[in-house]
Amino acid sequence: MKDFRLGVVGLGHRGRAMFAEACKCLFGIKGVAACDINPALWYDDILRDNAVHPSMASRMPDVQFYEDYDEMLEKADLDIVMIETPATCHAEFCIKALDRGIHVFSDIPSVRDLVEARDLWEAHLRSKAKLMTGATTMGWGFCLSLQDLYRNGLLGKPYALEAEYIHDCRSLWEETPWRKPTEKFGSVPCSYSTHSLGPMLAVMEEDLSEVVCISSGSHVTEFPHANDYTCALFQTPSKVTVRMTCSFINNCKSGLHSFRVFGTEGCFEHLAHRGEKQPMRTTFSSNKLVGTDAPVELPVGFSPYTDAVKQQYKSKGTFGHGGADSYLWMRFLEALQRGDEVMPLSLRDGLRMTLPGIYAVESVIRDGAKVAIHYPWQKEEFQKDIETLSPRCTGC
Ligand SMILES: NC(=O)c1ccc[n+]([C@@H]2O[C@H](COP(=O)([O-])OP(=O)(O)OC[C@H]3O[C@@H](n4cnc5c(N)ncnc54)[C@H](O)[C@@H]3O)[C@@H](O)[C@H]2O)c1
């Protein structure tokens, strides 16, 4: 089969690494085009960790660089585009590609607001091209273990789930200004919900339908608009409850992501590290498996690569967050090659994990009031939300 012609937009920290590694490690793609509004990111050597790294242009001489995304789409004859622009602007790039019949692998969150969600959903419905949501945490080994435990009935029905994403991002503000608190975007951590909600929704049958969320406000920095810490409580129609705690300004030095799933037949827990002496731990207990009455530790970390997975997905190497990103890319390419109708992480999956975070912002704006959550596939209710919710939430 012919290689997919791959382009990337956004050559910041993540785009540079993801594009170079994908071209190096994955079978079935050929990197042909790259785009950023800052050409220095392509042509200049990069100084990082006190070492000079040769420019992307010198390392990838067969790739054509563009400063303008529309021009890249027009001229580069792409099959797939990788979207690695700031978290507040993915949808417009996705829509333009889908409208030209170009497949999309988009980083998260899927959208910034409800208007983008409606427009992207409609673009995806009218396009023959496919969109894969690049939700990294969905490729982590312990999250895949959780899905296996669930599928095999060892947890029963998950009815209460908890996810924490605690990451002091202040050191990233200078180089990625979109992470810095502003009055408009990026200052309410619950809006970055995909890392937390993705693994939880993978073991839930219903969508999240209601949220209450409160913010601590600003205590740690001088920015009055910052929200150091948010805590959201979501529910589904049958009252399955998810607690999501997010903080991107703090003095916590522990690992970033922890999860707990209470099921009718068992319990799963992944606890991020608490310093070198207390590494990350994943445990579960189950009424359905002899020997697991008390928590049993699972020998699993970030990597999704079991021997069986290595056999299934041949590659020249792995990359991204312990191999999670390369795993998701391999599953995406396999689905495209097979001609699947639905991608392993579809736009619907992406919106299921993105929109609840945006509605949580609306709850914060309303001082913790309960807000009903809708999705673009609930067309009338969603349009009504676009017309009635806060401008910040809807994007109007
Ligand atoms: N999956 C994960 O675990 C994970 C981790 C980190 C970042 N991310 C996501 O990756 C994305 C990129 O993050 P980053 O840290 O690399 O940010 P970054 O700011 O370093 O990079 C974004 C790049 O996009 C470019 N850009 C902006 N507007 C553009 C336009 N109109 N045309 C072309 N290029 C444009 C910028 O110049 C910049 O180089 C974000 O969406 C972020 O949420 C995901």
Side-chain angles (χ1 to χ4, degrees), residues 261-305:
V261 175
F262 298 90
T264 51
E265 298 293 348
C267 187
F268 168 95
E269 188 169 33
H270 173 83
L271 198 61
H273 78 73
R274 298 292 187 262
E276 271 178 26
K277 290 198 175 147
Q278 297 180 64
M280 70 163 91
R281 288 188 71 190
T282 305
T283 57
F284 86 103
S285 54
S286 172
N287 303 332
K288 294 286 184 186
L289 186 65
V290 174
T292 62
D293 288 339
V296 171
E297 189 152 349
L298 281 170
V300 64
F302 290 120
S303 172
Y305 290 96

Side-chain angles (χ1 to χ4, degrees), residues 9-16 35-38 41 67-69 83-90 92-93 107-109 134-137 165 175-179 192 195 321 325:
V9 60
L11 293 170
H13 287 92
R14 190 158 157 81
R16 276 199 302 272
C35 170
D36 200 290
I37 45 177
N38 179 2
L41 293 173
E67 268 181 68
D68 182 73
Y69 182 64
I83 313 277
E84 294 293 351
T85 48
T88 49
C89 58
H90 294 151
E92 62 174 292
F93 296 100
D107 215 310
I108 45 79
T136 297
T137 56
Y165 182 14
E175 279 198 74
T176 54
W178 55 268
R179 286 190 165 93
Y192 206 76
H195 282 348
H321 295 93
D325 294 322

Side-chain angles (χ1 to χ4, degrees), residues 20-181:
E21 290 293 323
C23 294
K24 191 171 85 187
C25 298
L26 300 174
F27 289 108
I29 57 168
K30 178 176 162 49
V32 295
C35 170
D36 200 290
I37 45 177
N38 179 2
L41 293 173
W42 185 255
Y43 292 112
D44 291 3
D45 293 345
I46 305 245
L47 180 66
R48 194 175 335 119
D49 304 330
N50 292 325
V52 177
H53 300 264
S55 69
M56 295 282 292
S58 64
R59 284 188 287 139
M60 306 184 85
D62 297 337
V63 173
Q64 176 72 41
F65 175 76
Y66 297 86
E67 268 181 68
D68 182 73
Y69 182 64
D70 294 329
E71 191 188 344
M72 177 172 83
L73 294 189
E74 179 67 33
K75 295 187 176 162
D77 191 21
L78 299 180
D79 299 307
I80 304 175
V81 65
M82 174 192 277
I83 313 277
E84 294 293 351
T85 48
T88 49
C89 58
H90 294 151
E92 62 174 292
F93 296 100
C94 296
I95 292 170
K96 283 180 175 175
L98 291 173
D99 280 345
R100 286 173 178 268
I102 298 168
H103 304 302
V104 169
F105 186 103
S106 175
D107 215 310
I108 45 79
S110 302
V111 294
R112 174 181 66 198
D113 55 42
L114 304 194
V115 173
E116 282 195 352
R118 178 197 61 196
D119 294 349
L120 179 56
W121 182 251
E122 285 173 2
H124 129 279
L125 290 179
R126 68 178 172 256
S127 178
K128 285 206 170 67
K130 303 294 174 195
L131 185 148
M132 170 84 173
T133 302
T136 297
T137 56
M138 299 295 283
W140 276 341
F142 55 83
C143 294
L144 299 175
S145 296
L146 167 63
Q147 291 177 33
D148 278 345
L149 291 169
Y150 168 68
R151 268 195 296 270
N152 287 299
L154 297 178
L155 297 177
K157 180 187 174 186
Y159 61 89
L161 307 93
E162 300 174 346
E164 291 181 4
Y165 182 14
I166 311 295
H167 186 185
D168 183 17
C169 290
R170 281 176 290 172
S171 62
L172 301 172
W173 286 358
E174 196 179 332
E175 279 198 74
T176 54
W178 55 268
R179 286 190 165 93
K180 200 167 175 174

Side-chain angles (χ1 to χ4, degrees), residues 175-191:
E175 279 198 74
T176 54
W178 55 268
R179 286 190 165 93
K180 200 167 175 174
T182 64
E183 212 170 339
K184 200 168 174 206
F185 295 125
S187 61
V188 195
C190 59
S191 65

